[in-house]
Amino acid sequence: MAPQCPADLRVLCRKLTTTPPNLLSPQLPALTHNVLCCKDVLSAQHDVKAKEDASTSALVHKLKRSITTLLEGRSREGRFAATVLIKAIVDVGGWEILRTAGPWVNGLLSIVQKGDPIASKELAVIVITRIYILVQPYQTLIREIATPTLSAFGSACVQLLKAHNSTPPHVSETICAALLTLIPLHPATLRPLSSQLRTAVRPYLAPTCSDALFIPASLTCAARRLVISMHFVAAKSSGSDEWGKVVDTILRDLHQTADQVLRAVDESWQATSGYDRTRVSTDGEPRGGDESSPEQLPSWVGVTAGAERMVGLFSYLEETLRCSTKSTVIVPVGAYLDAICRVCVIARLSPKTQTWDQALDTNAGVGRDEKDELWSTIPSLHIAAMSLLLTMIQRLDRDMIPLVPEAVDHLVRVVKSGMSVAHIRTIGYQVLDQLLRVAGSTMPKTTVDMIDPILGACCRDLQQDAGVLKPAEKPTPTSKETKKNGGSVAVSNVDLFLGKPEASAPNTNLKLEPAHKDAASRLLASLLSSLTQAHLKPTMRGLIDKTSIVTSNRDAMLSSVLNPYKDQRGRLYPSILPYLVRQYPGDQGLEILRSNLRTSSTNGSSDMFASFQEVAEEQEEEEEEEEEEANADEEMADGDIAGADEASAATTNGAELSQLGSLASLPKKSGADASVDNPFAARSGAADSGFSAVVSSDSPAKRKHDGSDEAAPLKRLEVEKPAELPKAKRVAAVAAKPAEDVDDDDDDSDVSVHLNMELEDDDEDDE
């Protein structure tokens, strides 16, 4: 049974016949809404013999005739209104509307070809493309509607693209997107237009500041995708070869541009993929491109313009990996990495102590101004190269595993060189995150040690964003320094004398951009879930744990609980599960932990937060008493002294990293609070709140002094006083096990074990 005729259909017919064409534009939103309400009527088949269907069919026919009249009329406003209504009707009408849409396509095509306003042309391109897409399931409609008009439509689009000065960029972008959609559907019909399309969009592929037109990034992306899709129109099975030619052309242009831009540097890069560098003249400014050749990109002049061309070509290579292909293609991974390597080797390993002239061998024939301009463009080139590397990892996934060492080498070099640039750190975090997801579990310890600067920068950024770290205060000049400067009067900010502005207003300079913060947060979780935790240094693991707590990073905290840190002696670091429970009490992931994870008695202990300063004070108080036992315990003390010396050296080496934060700087909980806040703390019969005693079965027992009538009180051995750390704090715990009475001839023994939770990785070798 056909649906009943809605009132919206009658309203449409009445307004289209009674309203003048030049007054229809303000009513288009209401008319479009009426069309959407008539979806069931427009898409249904009507029986002319039935009386109700006859009236509905007559109204539908009247609506189509009214739209056709507006489309073929002389009023520009009427043609624009007809185009809008056709778009709405074909979207809801289905086959019943499409089978009679042939005259509409011809009318819309005349709008694109003739002198209608550019807005009407853009809308007509969209509607025609939509009709071509909707008729794809119906071969009869393709032969009747698409095939006869598609060539004329493509030619009209090419003419609009060639008119760079008269066609706005957004219209060119719409045309590129429309042709990109139609080329895979009708490759044979659009094959004759391939060379014309390449020539028409050539100025949009890699724009520079030397161009006369401003090209938005969205138009550039659409034009690149259109050129890459041209391999669909290749005859027979030569599509993969055409795709390879496009990539080869891009790489050749990239290296030719680099020859000019990087001529101030004596490059150490050695070509491995067939694109070798050539000697260029140092006279005049760097230049490249050719306006007269249809095969080359537009010309450019200057280092900045050349760097922009290189950045554009790197992005062009990214699009070749993102776009789908007609068939299987051979990706020249070596050539891609070779181009990345050429840019990444131009870096400073110590940017704080080195200038660019000191870090690189430069060409004496190039002036100082050109070199300075080149140094200012290096960060943008590094970002473009890392972005290409990121796309390769995302696209190739596990096929990139053999190239991970080389990728890590380029990544570390670039991030070290541009550590002060936020965008470089952002792209560095993203690349490292993807590398860890692909091959993090297979990375050796040497590779993990290489990425330590990136890990420290990630934690520092997140802690600064959370307000944990404060910027270092600049020292005020003293009177002596003023006299040394000749008594010159320095310009000062008078508002600083009125009060400290940071006390009332938060410092917004340390807040990260959303993309930067998201990349750092993702990397923090990947470090705990993808890396082999034994390869991390204890101080670095403590820093990562603290950062995840202070930033409330749920994924990182959960990964830390599921991947506990264990040193080479098999001792576990304290779990941060109580902090996860406190910050996310309703998280469903905790239910699995509650039912499957057994925590030891050390996890809820308050002694895990003992700092090095507290341990030093305790040892100083017991110094006199332990000197009396030093002679009796000389053999044991010698072994402990060696371990303490190594721990002290590790403390000094890791002081700088510990300043960023460690678990020791977290709030210290009392025993009563720990029992309330931590529901996972193990309950024992004794009233101890510290670590359980850790005693080796083969440890020699200490004997009492001769003449003592009762057991001596428990004491710790004075091995060496740890170095004072005024800023850094570390996690330490001291545990002691009471002496047990033995019934045999041996005297009572007491054992004191000092468990340092900040052991370095090489403790086992020294023992």
Side-chain angles (χ1 to χ4, degrees), residues 54 56 62 94 98 104 160-161 264 336 366-367 398 455 506 536 577 609 633-634 660 663 674 711 745 747 752:
T56 304
K62 183 178 180 180
L98 291 174
W104 288 351
L160 289 175
L161 288 175
Y336 281 72
V366 178
R398 293 193 174 274
L455 309 190
L536 287 174
L577 180 60
F609 299 107
D633 302 328
E634 183 178 0
L660 298 178
L663 282 176
D745 296 337
D747 295 334
S752 176

Side-chain angles (χ1 to χ4, degrees), residues 407-735:
V408 171
D409 183 61
H410 296 326
L411 171 64
V412 173
R413 185 183 295 109
V414 167
V415 175
K416 279 186 176 181
S417 177
M419 186 67 75
S420 60
V421 182
H423 291 291
I424 289 183
R425 298 201 305 273
T426 301
I427 191 66
Y429 299 158
Q430 294 173 350
V431 172
L432 182 57
D433 179 38
Q434 292 298 322
L435 287 174
L436 292 179
R437 295 178 187 276
V438 171
S441 58
T442 63
M443 287 185 178
K445 190 177 186 304
T446 54
T447 303
V448 177
D449 292 340
M450 286 177 58
I451 63 176
D452 262 359
I454 305 178
L455 309 190
C458 176
C459 295
R460 182 179 63 249
D461 285 345
L462 290 175
Q463 290 189 17
Q464 287 180 349
D465 182 77
V468 177
L469 293 183
K470 301 298 181 182
E473 297 182 358
K474 297 181 179 180
T476 57
T478 60
S479 58
K480 295 182 179 180
E481 294 177 353
T482 305
K483 293 180 180 179
K484 289 181 180 179
N485 295 332
S488 59
V489 179
V491 179
S492 60
N493 187 357
V494 182
D495 293 334
L496 296 178
F497 296 98
L498 302 178
K500 294 183 178 180
E502 61 271 10
S504 57
N507 190 353
T508 58
N509 295 331
L510 300 179
K511 291 297 182 181
L512 302 178
E513 295 292 334
H516 190 168
K517 184 177 180 180
D518 181 68
S521 300
R522 289 177 180 271
L523 176 59
L524 193 68
S526 297
L527 293 175
L528 295 168
S529 61
S530 301
L531 271 182
T532 303
Q533 296 303 298
H535 294 341
L536 287 174
K537 296 179 180 178
T539 51
M540 180 58 69
R541 174 57 191 261
L543 177 62
I544 294 174
D545 282 344
K546 179 189 175 180
T547 305
S548 62
I549 293 173
V550 298
T551 58
S552 299
N553 192 326
R554 180 257 180 195
D555 294 336
M557 296 172 69
L558 188 61
S559 299
S560 176
V561 174
L562 295 176
N563 299 275
Y565 186 83
K566 183 183 296 184
D567 63 7
Q568 294 183 356
R569 295 184 179 181
R571 293 176 294 188
L572 293 175
Y573 262 33
S575 174
I576 63 172
L577 180 60
Y579 296 96
L580 178 61
V581 174
R582 192 175 305 148
Q583 296 184 16
Y584 297 95
D587 191 87
Q588 294 182 357
L590 292 177
E591 298 300 327
I592 302 177
L593 297 179
R594 287 191 177 104
S595 58
N596 293 278
L597 188 64
R598 294 185 178 181
T599 59
S600 64
S601 60
T602 62
N603 290 341
S605 174
S606 61
D607 290 342
M608 64 174 284
F609 299 107
S611 63
F612 276 121
Q613 287 82 353
E614 295 172 353
V615 175
E617 291 175 0
E618 293 178 1
Q619 292 179 347
E620 186 176 357
E621 293 175 357
E622 300 175 355
E623 181 178 356
E624 296 180 357
E625 298 178 358
E626 293 184 354
E627 285 180 356
E628 299 176 358
E629 298 182 355
N631 296 330
D633 302 328
E634 183 178 0
E635 183 178 356
M636 181 181 296
D638 290 339
D640 291 341
I641 288 173
D645 290 338
E646 187 174 350
S648 178
T651 301
T652 305
N653 294 334
E656 181 180 356
L657 185 59
S658 299
Q659 290 178 2
L660 298 178
S662 63
L663 282 176
S665 60
L666 295 173
K668 182 176 179 180
K669 297 287 184 180
S670 62
D673 295 339
S675 61
V676 176
D677 294 340
N678 183 14
F680 301 96
R683 300 294 189 267
S684 60
D688 61 327
S689 60
F691 284 104
S692 299
V694 182
V695 182
S696 177
S697 59
D698 55 351
S699 300
K702 295 191 295 182
R703 297 183 178 275
K704 297 188 298 180
H705 292 287
D706 295 337
S708 58
D709 297 334
E710 55 184 5
L714 297 179
K715 302 180 181 61
R716 296 185 182 87
L717 291 177
E718 176 64 15
V719 292
E720 184 176 350
K721 184 177 179 180
E724 290 290 339
L725 297 179
K727 296 183 179 179
K729 293 184 178 182
R730 299 194 177 196
V731 179
V734 179

